[in-house]
Amino acid sequence: MPSFDWKAVQKHILIHYRWVFVVLFLLPLSALYDIYFYVRSWLIFRVNSAPRQHGRRLQHVQRQVKAWHDSGQQQHMCTARPGWQTISFRQAKYKQIYTNISINMIDILELDTQKQTVWCEPLVTMGQLTATLVELGWTVPVVPEMDDLTIGGLVMGSGIETSSHKAGLFQHSCVSFELVLADGSAVTCSETENAELFYSVPWSYGTLGFLTAVEIKIVPAKRFVRLEYRPCNSPAQLLQEFSDATKREDGNQFVEAICFTRETAVVMVGNMVDSAEPGKVNCIGRWHMPWFFKHVESFLSSGTAVEYLPIRDYYHRHTRSIFWEIQDIIPFGNNVVFRWLLGWLVPPKVSLLKLTQSQAIKELYENNHFIQDMLVPLDRLGPALDCFHQEVQIYPIWLCPFLLPSRPGMLQSVGDEDRFYVDIGTYGVPHVADFKPVETTRRVEKFVRENNGFQMLYADSYLTREEFRQMFDHKLYDKLRQQLPETTKAFPEVYDKVNRNARI
Ligand SMILES: Cc1cc2nc3c(=O)[nH]c(=O)nc-3n(C[C@H](O)[C@H](O)[C@H](O)COP(=O)(O)OP(=O)(O)OC[C@H]3O[C@@H](n4cnc5c(N)ncnc54)[C@H](O)[C@@H]3O)c2cc1C
Ligand SMILES: NC(=O)C1=CN([C@@H]2O[C@H](COP(=O)(O)OP(=O)(O)OC[C@H]3O[C@@H](n4cnc5c(N)ncnc54)[C@H](OP(=O)(O)O)[C@@H]3O)[C@@H](O)[C@H]2O)C=CC1
Ligand SMILES: CC(C)=CCC[C@@H](C)[C@H]1CC[C@@]2(C)C3=C(CC[C@]12C)[C@@]1(C)CC[C@H](O)C(C)(C)[C@@H]1CC3
């Protein structure tokens, strides 16, 4: 009598019925978490209490750094933010070894409509920021679409959105940073004050100091985004349509594309407007509405169309379906019955999904999943899509153009001039026969490196230290790490925090 393989059964259930746990537990828990922090942020911003607390919180960070100093600087330092809360694929192994510095700074400090800037603490999330600003008729130039992305992570890492072809990456909308350095001193930096530090903070991943406040430009927000959907039925048509839309001087505030196969795609071009044509408003963010990418796919058959999306619905259009990752977590999540019954609970929080991920799921994503955002020069988009098709054949693919201004720092554009790049986002199950995570990712990383591109570092990076230094310009960064007091003792290099071996 063959023995019953309980492990195999357990693994099958954990993988194929993850949705049971997600729907019954994670969805309600995610909703409660969001309600609490929405109410809290709303109240604290209204009673204007956060600014008074900021000074106290800043001193708390400085005291912790000085305590590290006095304790003999045994280990490097990192933030105490739990790894499961971060919008990155893995958790940071180093957080278990390094001295954790608590930076519980989660409030919007001040909105200055004269100067047209907003002061935020690093744990302010994009959902919190847009909920606060849009109601007051303002927004920030680049709004990375996932609610739970934090200002600290978007500055110290990177942030991109469909307005980036005009406004650059998230870092390019920042006016100044307040940091606590390795010696416990608090400094501010901007283009006119400590400029070299200002240009080195983005992509430094907390290895030059702790971010305690960020001043970000604000721009007027209008009620709707007029969105035009342009279906493409060949790679050549996609390249032409996408490139023209990106390079157009006037208008085209928002540009993105979703490729559904190697031949078919939909280019979307948007502009903020104050009023909508009757009957064309699509509140796609409503709890019972279809997943945005599925709605976009429908235009492949119905043809070019125009809709008006309320601006917050537009900003967070990919949030409810976590781009298209939710289809591997709740396969029937776009079913109309599920949407009307439980759509108001979606999406499960990425942080809670990470916190409760079983070993079986972890191995499944390790061996049968590919999640990368590669940033390549716009004129290399064609060969890049060929490379992704050959290596992973994952669809949909998200295309988001951005302007990389020629400035000092980790990201150096080709020829030291402002250049258009494009983020190629691939998230899903590879459909090639011989997918091998490490070898495949390294071949894609090689293509990106050879085409003067960059890898977004929330994902698995298999680059060697040398390859990493080829991809990211470390000249100014190395100079500052030598210049700023105690920095090489206090913090590792970026590579030591983002390479695959630094994460579990
Ligand atoms: C509904 C409500 C209203 C309040 N109103 C006021 C007020 O008007 N004035 C006032 O001075 N105090 C107010 N408080 C108290 C204030 O929130 C806390 O005293 C202060 O923020 C200290 O926070 P904490 O250290 O207790 O951690 P909390 O702020 O309670 O947060 C706990 C942890 O959750 C995480 N976290 C919290 N918020 C977020 C977020 N938005 N994004 C990501 N992670 C997050 C952080 O890692 C943090 O360490 C209010 C509290 C609540 C619950
Ligand atoms: N549209 C977009 O642009 C999207 C971007 N992303 C990715 O998500 C990331 C943001 O995720 P999020 O969870 O917010 O960020 P994380 O908490 O993952 O932080 C990213 C890095 O920034 C460091 N960091 C964060 N806050 C501070 C601070 N106050 N002081 C010093 N260092 C800090 C962290 O250091 P430590 O490890 O010490 O905590 C970590 O190394 C982005 O970098 C981006 O790569 C994901 C989805 C969409
Ligand atoms: C620049 C842009 C637009 C990046 C988008 C990146 C997202 C698609 C990524 C960021 C974090 C991310 C890797 C994540 C996951 C999916 C894709 C995400 C959301 C999930 C939820 C997939 C399921 C996994 O079991 C697990 C929970 C670990 C991760 C968590 C992080």
Side-chain angles (χ1 to χ4, degrees):
M1 168 77 162
S3 67
F4 199 70
D5 186 351
W6 278 110
K7 270 215 169 297
V9 170
Q10 184 203 27
K11 190 169 181 178
H12 179 84
I13 291 172
L14 282 173
I15 288 174
H16 298 285
Y17 294 91
R18 184 186 195 184
W19 63 266
V20 175
F21 175 72
V22 172
V23 171
L24 297 182
F25 294 101
L26 286 197
L27 286 182
L29 222 51
S30 302
L32 290 173
Y33 186 107
D34 282 338
I35 291 166
Y36 164 67
F37 283 115
Y38 186 85
V39 168
R40 181 188 175 287
S41 308
W42 186 85
L43 276 162
I44 289 188
F45 187 65
R46 290 262 158 326
V47 295
N48 197 27
S49 64
R52 288 199 300 278
Q53 291 190 43
H54 180 68
R56 176 176 63 78
R57 290 173 171 167
L58 175 62
Q59 288 164 5
H60 179 49
V61 176
Q62 289 180 290
R63 277 197 300 274
Q64 294 175 78
V65 173
K66 286 182 178 130
W68 166 81
H69 211 278
D70 301 343
S71 68
Q73 307 165 339
Q74 303 298 326
Q75 276 298 346
H76 284 146
M77 289 185 284
C78 65
T79 79
R81 187 167 188 232
W84 59 271
Q85 287 188 6
T86 70
I87 305 291
S88 56
F89 188 46
R90 297 192 184 276
Q91 304 207 28
K93 225 175 349 189
Y94 55 80
K95 287 195 182 242
Q96 296 156 9
I97 308 160
Y98 293 176
T99 302
N100 283 211
I101 304 295
S102 170
I103 308 181
N104 175 36
M105 306 174 98
I106 58 181
D107 293 307
I108 297 168
L109 298 171
E110 190 181 353
L111 176 63
D112 184 334
T113 52
Q114 298 305 319
K115 200 178 164 193
Q116 298 209 358
T117 61
V118 61
W119 267 100
C120 294
E121 292 183 324
L123 274 182
V124 165
T125 61
M126 291 320 289
Q128 188 183 343
L129 188 60
T130 56
T132 306
L133 290 183
V134 165
E135 196 182 276
L136 302 169
W138 294 94
T139 184
V140 287
V142 178
V143 181
E145 65 299 298
M146 293 179 69
D147 278 344
D148 290 347
L149 291 164
T150 66
I151 299 284
L154 290 166
V155 167
M156 285 292 186
S158 56
I160 188 171
E161 187 42 58
T162 50
S163 54
S164 290
H165 64 299
K166 302 280 187 191
L169 298 175
F170 188 81
Q171 68 201 65
H172 298 121
S173 302
C174 297
V175 176
S176 66
F177 304 125
E178 176 191 76
L179 294 137
V180 172
L181 301 180
D183 63 353
S185 62
V187 295
T188 53
C189 56
S190 64
E191 282 190 335
T192 54
E193 182 190 11
N194 298 318
E196 290 189 330
L197 176 58
F198 176 72
Y199 290 123
S200 303
V201 164
W203 293 76
S204 66
Y205 278 79
T207 61
L208 292 175
F210 292 111
L211 193 63
T212 51
V214 182
E215 185 183 11
I216 311 167
K217 286 175 205 156
I218 58 170
V219 292
K222 296 188 176 175
R223 288 182 59 212
F224 299 99
V225 171
R226 179 186 183 280
L227 200 57
E228 193 177 328
Y229 302 89
R230 299 173 183 170
C232 300
N233 293 296
S234 72
Q237 187 190 1
L238 165 64
L239 294 181
Q240 191 62 55
E241 194 71 67
F242 188 74
S243 178
D244 292 352
T246 298
K247 293 175 177 173
R248 188 171 152 184
E249 294 277 327
D250 59 320
N252 290 8
Q253 277 177 290
F254 305 103
V255 174
E256 77 180 300
I258 300 180
C259 305
F260 292 95
T261 65
R262 188 65 190 92
E263 282 67 41
T264 59
V266 176
V267 174
M268 286 162 271
V269 176
N271 284 288
M272 274 195 231
V273 291
D274 266 325
S275 59
E277 291 175 56
K280 289 192 175 182
V281 175
N282 180 354
C283 300
I284 193 73
R286 288 260 174 80
W287 50 277
H288 55 79
M289 295 297 275
W291 292 339
F292 178 70
F293 74 99
K294 283 295 182 190
H295 176 63
V296 173
E297 190 173 26
S298 69
F299 294 105
L300 285 176
S301 43
S302 62
T304 302
V306 170
E307 289 182 330
Y308 293 80
L309 277 56
I311 190 163
R312 279 204 86 223
D313 289 44
Y314 176 76
Y315 277 153
H316 302 293
R317 64 202 178 283
H318 292 300
T319 295
R320 272 189 314 124
S321 52
I322 315 181
F323 284 85
W324 23 93
E325 277 289 321
I326 201 163
Q327 57 189 351
D328 294 321
I329 298 168
I330 310 179
F332 48 82
N334 201 40
N335 175 290
V336 61
V337 173
F338 179 86
R339 284 191 270 120
W340 276 95
L341 281 180
L342 291 175
W344 55 282
L345 284 170
V346 173
K349 288 192 81 64
V350 168
S351 52
L352 296 179
L353 284 165
K354 276 175 85 170
L355 186 65
T356 59
Q357 181 179 241
S358 64
Q359 189 56 30
I361 292 285
K362 197 172 159 70
E363 284 163 14
L364 174 77
Y365 276 81
E366 185 93 40
N367 302 315
N368 301 289
H369 220 83
F370 181 90
I371 296 175
Q372 292 286 341
D373 273 89
M374 297 295 191
L375 315 176
V376 301
L378 182 58
D379 56 13
R380 301 300 294 152
L381 176 57
L385 289 173
D386 291 336
C387 169
F388 276 92
H389 185 78
Q390 183 189 335
E391 292 295 349
V392 291
Q393 269 188 52
I394 292 175
Y395 295 95
I397 291 178
W398 188 58
L399 299 181
C400 181
F402 71 96
L403 180 68
L404 179 59
S406 172
R407 285 190 185 177
M410 281 269 188
L411 265 55
Q412 285 306 310
S413 64
V414 181
D416 279 349
E417 55 190 20
D418 297 4
R419 254 178 102 96
F420 285 116
Y421 276 71
V422 52
D423 173 5
I424 303 173
T426 46
Y427 330 116
V429 179
H431 289 90
V432 290
D434 57 346
F435 173 69
K436 293 188 180 64
V438 179
E439 292 84 341
T440 302
T441 307
R442 279 190 56 75
R443 282 196 299 269
V444 174
E445 287 170 345
K446 183 170 183 289
F447 172 88
V448 172
R449 230 175 33 251
E450 288 171 349
N451 284 277
N452 303 302
F454 311 99
Q455 180 177 30
M456 281 190 87
L457 301 171
Y458 73 87
D460 283 350
S461 175
Y462 292 94
L463 295 168
T464 64
R465 195 181 293 271
E466 292 66 38
E467 290 165 350
F468 188 80
R469 282 182 162 264
Q470 273 173 28
M471 183 180 272
F472 297 99
D473 185 322
H474 279 60
K475 273 195 298 302
L476 187 58
Y477 174 77
D478 289 340
K479 177 184 168 193
L480 278 176
R481 278 177 58 85
Q482 293 308 320
Q483 266 179 3
L484 295 174
E486 323 276 355
T487 302
T488 52
K489 275 203 202 102
F491 306 112
E493 288 192 6
V494 177
Y495 180 76
D496 302 307
K497 292 183 83 168
V498 300
N499 80 83
R500 176 64 187 86
N501 298 324
R503 292 168 164 170
I504 44 178

